[in-house]
């Protein structure tokens, strides 16, 4: 991997991490288009630079992280289902991450769901700053769906929040906050696994730092834009986008068109 590829993947990550379109799925697709999808370091890079984007949430929502201890208990409760199930199924997930087909199917299925989300949850919504323990746990269970590449962690948790009666902004806000402990743990585990097998060299570490910085900057620009957009217009546009991208990839696979374009 070089800095040009790192820049492209980091921009994709920053733009898609907070959208209900699956940042991991998009990076897997882009990495394959760039011809680096099968490189061992690519997996580490894709997983690790998500932390940079997530840190933009800490900057933008820093006041929320200064709330009571109860706030952190809710985040922990919401994270636990994903953490436990992800650990138990880590080998299965590892294989799924290599499959562009799985990503494409997940994009289409998730897109269809997003087309109807606004209709399903069109009733009275309420602004929620901090969920109850029960609400946090249920949102955490929704997050487990994102263990399948292409599902989208933000989409799963936002829908989970809507299912608890949250308005769109509140659902999106808690989704972003929950991303912080989730991505910190995922990144730490990925780096530990990488170092255990083959410690990255200095150049690899520079690429990781570069990717995280770019993802952080792009993420800062993307978060508020997404919240404002979805608060006004809902999720249908993202549903159509997911379906179009997923179908294109599936057609390419069915016709035997090589994924590598560069």
């Amino acid at each position: 991997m070089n800095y040009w590829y790192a820049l492209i993947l980091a921009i994709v990550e920053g733009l898609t991490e907070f959208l209900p379109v699956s940042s991991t799925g998009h990076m897997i697709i882009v990495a394959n288009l760039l011809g680096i999808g099968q490189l061992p370091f690519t997996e580490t890079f894709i997983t690790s630079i998500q932390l940079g984007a997530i840190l933009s949430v800490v900057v933008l929502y820093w006041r929320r992280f200064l709330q009571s201890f109860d706030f952190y208990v809710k985040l922990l409760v919401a994270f636990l289902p994903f953490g436990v199930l992800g650990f138990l199924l880590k080998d299965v997930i590892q294989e799924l991450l290599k499959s562009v087909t799985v990503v494409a199917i997940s994009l289409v299925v998730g897109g269809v769901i997003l087309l109807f989300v606004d209709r399903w949850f069109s009733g009275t919504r309420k602004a929620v700053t901090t969920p109850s323990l029960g609400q946090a746990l249920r949102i955490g269970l929704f997050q487990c769906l994102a263990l399948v590449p292409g599902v989208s962690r933000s989409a799963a948790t936002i829908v989970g929040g809507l299912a608890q009666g949250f308005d769109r902004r509140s659902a999106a806000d808690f989704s972003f906050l929950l991303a912080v402990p989730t991505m910190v743990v995922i990144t730490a585990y990925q780096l530990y696994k990488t170092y255990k097998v083959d410690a990255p060299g200095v150049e690899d570490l520079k690429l990781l730092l570069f990717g995280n910085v770019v993802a952080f900057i792009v993420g800062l620009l993307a978060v508020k834009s997404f919240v404002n957009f979805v608060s006004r217009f809902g999720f249908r546009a993202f549903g159509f986008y997911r379906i179009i991208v997923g179908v294109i990839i599936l057609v390419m696979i069915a016709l035997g068109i090589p994924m590598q374009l560069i």
Side-chain angles (χ1 to χ4, degrees):
M1 182 184 292
N2 56 40
Y3 282 91
W4 170 243
Y5 292 162
L7 175 64
I8 294 174
L9 289 174
I11 291 175
V12 171
E13 162 58 23
L15 288 175
T16 60
E17 179 60 46
F18 307 104
L19 305 182
V21 297
S22 178
S23 61
T24 301
H26 275 68
M27 285 193 289
I28 290 173
I29 291 172
V30 171
N32 278 275
L33 292 175
L34 295 174
I36 59 174
Q38 304 304 316
L39 298 179
F41 180 69
T42 299
E43 180 187 340
T44 299
F45 186 85
I46 286 176
T47 302
S48 300
I49 65 168
Q50 295 181 66
L51 180 62
I54 294 304
L55 289 178
S56 65
V57 172
V58 178
V59 172
L60 293 171
Y61 289 82
W62 64 270
R63 289 184 179 85
R64 298 285 293 274
F65 288 95
L66 298 180
Q67 296 182 63
S68 64
F69 179 73
D70 179 66
F71 167 74
Y72 290 94
V73 172
K74 305 297 177 51
L75 283 183
L76 176 62
V77 169
F79 164 75
L80 279 177
F82 182 91
V84 172
L85 193 60
F87 179 77
L88 294 176
L89 299 177
K90 59 183 183 297
D91 293 333
V92 175
I93 297 169
Q94 190 80 18
E95 290 304 311
L96 292 177
L97 284 170
K98 302 175 183 178
S99 175
V100 178
T101 302
V102 170
V103 171
I105 293 173
S106 297
L107 285 172
V108 173
V109 173
V112 173
I113 291 173
L114 287 183
L115 292 181
F116 299 98
V117 161
D118 293 317
R119 184 181 304 175
W120 292 340
F121 303 111
S122 59
T124 302
R125 310 273 97 198
K126 58 184 177 180
V128 179
T129 302
T130 304
S132 67
L133 282 174
Q135 289 171 330
L137 178 60
R138 288 189 286 274
I139 292 173
L141 292 173
F142 271 89
Q143 183 171 233
C144 291
L145 297 173
L147 290 169
V148 179
V151 168
S152 172
R153 193 207 61 80
S154 62
T157 50
I158 289 172
V159 172
L162 293 173
Q164 310 310 308
F166 295 11
D167 62 19
R168 294 170 183 165
R169 181 175 292 272
S170 297
D173 283 349
F174 189 73
S175 170
F176 300 158
L177 296 169
L178 178 56
V180 176
T182 301
M183 295 316 304
V184 167
V185 171
I186 290 175
T187 302
Y189 174 74
Q190 181 63 46
L191 290 176
Y192 164 76
K193 187 173 66 173
T194 300
Y195 269 96
K196 189 176 180 181
V197 176
D198 183 19
V202 174
E203 192 61 30
D204 288 340
L205 293 176
K206 288 181 180 179
L207 284 170
L208 286 175
L209 177 60
F210 173 74
N212 273 284
V213 170
V214 173
F216 171 78
I217 294 172
V218 177
L220 282 174
L221 302 174
V223 173
K224 291 299 183 182
S225 298
F226 167 67
V227 172
N228 291 333
F229 180 91
V230 78
S231 296
R232 292 183 60 189
F233 303 109
F235 298 94
R236 284 179 63 84
F238 299 106
F240 284 120
Y241 170 80
R242 288 178 62 112
I243 292 170
I244 291 170
V245 173
V247 168
I248 290 174
I249 298 301
L250 288 174
V251 169
M252 290 178 65
I253 294 172
L255 297 178
I257 299 174
M259 286 293 296
Q260 184 174 345
L261 298 181
I262 300 177

